């Protein structure tokens, strides 16, 4: 079965760090761009970060630039999202998505992705 599985979510205090993982099973991530989105209660889904498959170029949403880092380890078929200096407004369900062809670098467009994970809850609270 082809699927993406997120892990590493949890509860953390403001200013803390978490690392999310997105692991593929049943297919290889080598030729897929991987993007993290998040959705907070009552809010629309938001683009967080993306990494391409060929040059490992990264893109970030304005709200997370300088605090989050996306990376990939193709040998482990896994993409990571290192989240530092977390704020309460980072609280959301985080989803990873895989897409082979991202048209016009529209990484923020959900329709570009073939696979989605089930989501991982991140809660930032004291």
């Amino acid at each position: 079965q082809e699927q993406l599985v997120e892990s590493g979510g949890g509860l953390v205090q403001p200013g803390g760090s978490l690392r999310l993982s997105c692991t593929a099973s049943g297919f290889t991530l080598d030729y897929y761009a991987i993007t993290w989105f998040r959705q907070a209660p009552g809010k629309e889904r938001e683009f967080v970060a993306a990494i391409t498959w060929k040059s490992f170029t990264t893109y970030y949403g304005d709200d997370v630039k300088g605090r989050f880092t996306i990376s990939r380890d193709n040998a482990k078929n896994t993409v990571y999202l290192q989240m530092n200096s977390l704020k309460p407004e980072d609280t959301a369900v985080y989803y990873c998505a895989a897409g082979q062809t991202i048209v016009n670098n529209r990484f923020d467009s959900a329709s570009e992705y073939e696979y989605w994970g089930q989501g991982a809850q991140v809660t930032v609270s004291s």
Side-chain angles (χ1 to χ4, degrees), residues 26-118:
F27 71 106
T28 177
L29 290 180
D30 287 11
Y31 302 108
Y32 285 83
I34 306 298
T35 294
W36 288 94
F37 292 88
R38 67 186 181 186
Q39 189 164 20
K43 294 189 176 181
E44 293 187 353
R45 181 169 41 208
E46 176 186 15
F47 168 79
V48 176
I51 186 166
T52 64
W53 66 268
K54 193 171 184 180
S55 59
F56 288 20
T57 301
T58 57
Y59 302 87
Y60 295 95
D62 289 341
D63 289 347
V64 306
K65 280 180 183 176
R67 299 188 298 123
F68 290 11
T69 302
I70 189 171
S71 62
R72 65 191 299 159
D73 185 341
N74 285 351
K76 295 183 178 180
N77 221 21
T78 298
V79 172
Y80 303 99
L81 184 68
Q82 178 66 44
M83 304 184 293
N84 298 330
S85 302
L86 283 161
K87 305 174 182 180
E89 50 265 44
D90 294 318
T91 296
V93 177
Y94 284 70
Y95 300 90
C96 63
Q100 279 196 310
T101 304
I102 310 298
V103 178
N104 294 327
N105 282 352
R106 285 298 312 277
F107 293 99
D108 60 340
S109 175
S111 63
E112 299 294 321
Y113 300 93
E114 293 94 277
Y115 297 99
W116 289 82
Q118 83 289 351

